[in-house]
Amino acid sequence: MTKVLRVLWVKVNISGGKHFYLNLPISLYAFGELLDCVIDIFDVVCFFVPKQQLTSSSSFPVHALRSLMKGLTNLMDSLVCSESYELVNVDVENVKVSVIIR
């Protein structure tokens, strides 16, 4: 079985007084690898932080962030396995935004 290079394609086009155009392809494989590295760092940090961490209004528990990152990994795996599709396609006045999985 051959692996297909999946890309998250972000396009932003702002016209009007000032023109701005962004065309940003992001490899889902590279993004997934970076996400795995971040999860490994959270695993090490969670080893030293107690599970019953005191939370204040300005902090977010490290264990919850680690769980959130693992959920994001599962989401990325489901995106890689599927066919091409549009996640976002917005066209309002002078602003056009689209996010496509290819």
Side-chain angles (χ1 to χ4, degrees):
M1 184 173 127
T2 60
K3 278 194 162 186
V4 177
L5 177 64
R6 304 296 293 193
V7 176
L8 178 72
W9 204 278
V10 179
K11 295 179 183 180
V12 178
N13 186 4
I14 301 174
S15 58
K18 294 184 178 181
H19 295 286
F20 175 75
Y21 186 75
L22 175 69
N23 196 3
L24 182 65
I26 302 169
S27 168
L28 288 180
Y29 176 75
F31 186 72
E33 290 296 318
L34 288 173
L35 192 59
D36 285 341
C37 292
V38 170
I39 289 173
D40 290 342
I41 292 170
F42 274 114
D43 286 341
V44 171
V45 170
C46 286
F47 182 74
F48 295 105
V49 174
K51 257 203 164 151
Q52 301 300 329
Q53 177 186 15
L54 295 174
T55 59
S56 66
S57 61
S58 65
S59 68
F60 198 75
V62 176
H63 294 280
L65 279 173
R66 182 180 67 171
S67 298
L68 182 67
M69 292 296 166
K70 287 184 179 183
L72 188 56
T73 300
N74 294 337
L75 176 67
M76 293 300 297
D77 289 341
S78 71
L79 290 176
V80 172
C81 297
S82 300
E83 59 187 36
S84 296
Y85 55 92
E86 267 184 345
L87 291 174
V88 175
N89 189 8
V90 178
D91 188 358
V92 178
E93 293 182 15
N94 299 338
V95 179
K96 295 178 184 176
V97 177
S98 69
V99 179
I100 303 167
I101 303 287
R102 292 189 182 193

